[in-house]
Amino acid sequence: MSLDPASLDWDKGAGLLPAIVQDSRNGRVLMQGWMNREALQQTLQTGKVTFYSRSKQRLWTKGESSAHWLLLRGAAADCDADAILLQAEPQGPTCHLGTASCFGEGAAAVPGFLGRLDALVQQRERERPADSYTTRLFEAGLRRIAQKVGEEGVETALAAVAQDEKALVSEAADLLFHLTVLLRARGLGLADAVAELERRHG
């Protein structure tokens, strides 16, 4: 991993920095712990996320008693070098209560731009700004939105069969957008679809 422990501002937190663990597969926040320099070094060396336990006053590797390891997939520091973001692949439930996330099952996340798109569509549904295509879709009603999803699905499939990569990417983007609107029109979001995929995978 490229993160250098020496580059972090350990003094700011009296030798301990918060470490947020994110599921590398879907962006869900799994847990937050604390790391000292030794915990980060061990994490980078072994590939298993290790924290410093403030209650036990020692290093502890997540999964050391349950075998529900967090396998490291990426590590980065924030802009002030006083917090750590770890991407990891969980080998079972992260929380001791048996849930995938210590923040509850409702913590399912949609990574990156799709998450921002989902939030924007939700805002458009609530505020209905004028001159917005998304507003027009919501005002046209569920049947019209569903029709658009069907149309975009067919166009995506045709572009794939035609082996037109540029058209395929464009149509797939249209399909994702309209699917996001359709889910929101039924009171759902992309996170619900992600959670279902996780359930099937798990």
Side-chain angles (χ1 to χ4, degrees):
M1 299 296 168
S2 59
L3 182 60
D4 181 4
S7 68
L8 299 175
D9 190 352
W10 298 102
D11 293 336
K12 186 177 289 186
L16 291 177
L17 296 179
I20 300 158
V21 183
Q22 186 179 40
D23 193 321
S24 60
R25 302 166 302 177
N26 57 33
R28 168 186 279 176
V29 175
L30 298 176
M31 67 173 294
Q32 186 259 317
W34 296 90
M35 283 186 163
N36 60 10
R37 189 186 299 259
E38 291 73 27
L40 178 57
Q41 288 174 335
Q42 182 168 315
T43 297
L44 296 172
Q45 290 169 1
T46 66
K48 292 180 178 178
V49 176
T50 299
F51 299 100
Y52 179 79
S53 171
R54 295 173 296 171
S55 58
K56 299 175 183 177
Q57 296 288 295
R58 67 170 178 86
L59 298 184
W60 68 279
T61 300
K62 179 64 180 174
E64 63 185 26
S65 59
S66 65
H68 295 162
W69 314 105
L70 292 171
L71 303 183
L72 187 66
R73 296 292 181 255
D78 75 341
C79 57
D80 293 321
D82 61 0
I84 303 166
L85 177 65
L86 303 169
Q87 276 103 28
E89 184 175 337
Q91 303 299 291
T94 297
C95 184
H96 70 284
L97 297 178
T99 56
S101 167
C102 291
F103 296 95
E105 294 296 357
V110 181
F113 176 77
L114 285 179
R116 297 194 298 275
L117 174 64
D118 197 32
L120 178 61
V121 168
Q122 185 176 15
Q123 180 182 1
R124 289 285 191 269
E125 181 193 28
R126 182 176 62 252
E127 298 177 357
R128 303 292 176 99
D131 301 322
S132 165
Y133 174 68
T134 310
T135 295
R136 292 199 299 274
L137 281 174
F138 281 123
E139 292 182 347
L142 182 65
R143 288 183 178 274
R144 176 55 181 158
I145 299 170
Q147 181 184 7
K148 286 297 296 182
V149 170
E151 291 173 0
E152 299 300 344
V154 170
E155 291 172 3
T156 300
L158 290 174
V161 171
Q163 299 183 1
D164 185 338
E165 291 184 3
K166 184 176 180 180
L168 175 57
V169 169
S170 177
E171 296 299 343
D174 289 343
L175 176 59
L176 283 170
F177 168 74
H178 287 92
L179 180 59
T180 303
V181 175
L182 179 64
L183 286 166
R184 186 57 55 192
R186 290 301 306 270
L188 301 167
L190 287 175
D192 295 293
V194 169
E196 174 62 16
L197 288 171
E198 283 191 325
R199 185 191 66 77
R200 297 178 188 180
H201 178 76

